[in-house]
Amino acid sequence: MTFAVARARDEAHLYLDLHPCKQCGSAETTWGRGVVSVQGELADRYAGTCDGCGAEREFLFGLPERPAPPVGYPTFGGREPSQLLDAGEWLWVADLTASNVPAGDRAEAHRVLSVAGAAVEEVIKFIPPGQDEVPDDGFWSERGLRMREVEPGRFQLDRLLVVRDTYRDLVARYA
Ligand SMILES: [Zn+2]
């Protein structure tokens, strides 16, 4: 049995936030984390009790070959593309995050914009060298496929680079 790899803690937690409790819809869970062996394979296990309804919740992720060294918040992973969120979901995360930049709280604005910028970087990681847009296999989730359907042009490299640079500038302005 092979689990989708969580490249870094921040990526695992984002994934957990995007997958709320199936019973009550709450995403609030205090997660404990540990490495477990599942049928001879090591996995990264997140488990906890749902704050909303008390259900026991558990997610298992594969371990990365080389863990991404944390380089500030957020560190979603190394250079390899995500296995947990597809390119469309990453852009969705960037949009959602950037639409919630708090006014009058510079530290929080910096944090939020850093997440949005890092999410766009994650979209770009799906584009193989020499190609100019995210290939078909960069989309597998319902939400991600819908993002591409609505505006496929947003997954072109040149447009993504402009967006990434815009976030970088904004992050620097709030630093
Ligand atoms: Zn629940």
Side-chain angles (χ1 to χ4, degrees), residues 31-174:
W31 296 103
R33 178 186 183 185
V35 173
V36 294
S37 175
V38 182
Q39 294 166 6
E41 192 191 342
L42 291 180
D44 204 357
R45 175 177 185 263
Y46 286 76
T49 306
C50 174
D51 286 358
C53 71
E56 294 300 323
R57 307 187 62 212
E58 178 190 54
F59 286 89
L60 293 166
F61 302 112
L63 296 168
E65 257 174 56
R66 278 169 302 159
V71 282
Y73 180 81
T75 299
F76 290 129
R79 298 168 65 89
E80 71 281 14
S82 177
Q83 296 180 14
L84 295 185
L85 279 71
D86 71 15
E89 288 179 294
W90 282 111
L91 196 59
W92 180 85
V93 167
D95 288 355
L96 183 73
T97 314
S99 68
N100 286 307
V101 179
D105 183 343
R106 288 185 69 86
E108 181 62 12
H110 181 261
R111 204 187 70 87
V112 165
L113 288 163
S114 299
V115 171
V120 174
E121 306 258 11
E122 291 301 327
V123 182
I124 295 170
K125 289 177 188 174
F126 281 92
I127 304 178
Q131 295 194 26
D132 55 10
E133 63 181 359
V134 178
D136 287 349
D137 63 7
F139 304 89
W140 61 81
S141 74
E142 204 178 303
R143 183 180 275 147
L145 287 161
R146 206 181 318 130
M147 285 292 289
R148 182 173 68 165
E149 197 180 300
V150 170
E151 214 178 331
R154 297 188 71 199
F155 295 93
Q156 290 167 0
L157 180 59
D158 51 356
R159 285 182 64 174
L160 288 164
L161 291 175
V162 170
V163 176
R164 181 199 66 185
D165 291 347
T166 305
Y167 283 129
R168 279 187 182 171
D169 291 347
L170 284 166
V171 168
R173 205 176 300 168
Y174 281 94

Side-chain angles (χ1 to χ4, degrees), residues 20-29 49-57:
C21 174
K22 286 198 174 85
Q23 303 207 22
C24 74
S26 169
E28 298 300 318
T29 297
T49 306
C50 174
D51 286 358
C53 71
E56 294 300 323
R57 307 187 62 212

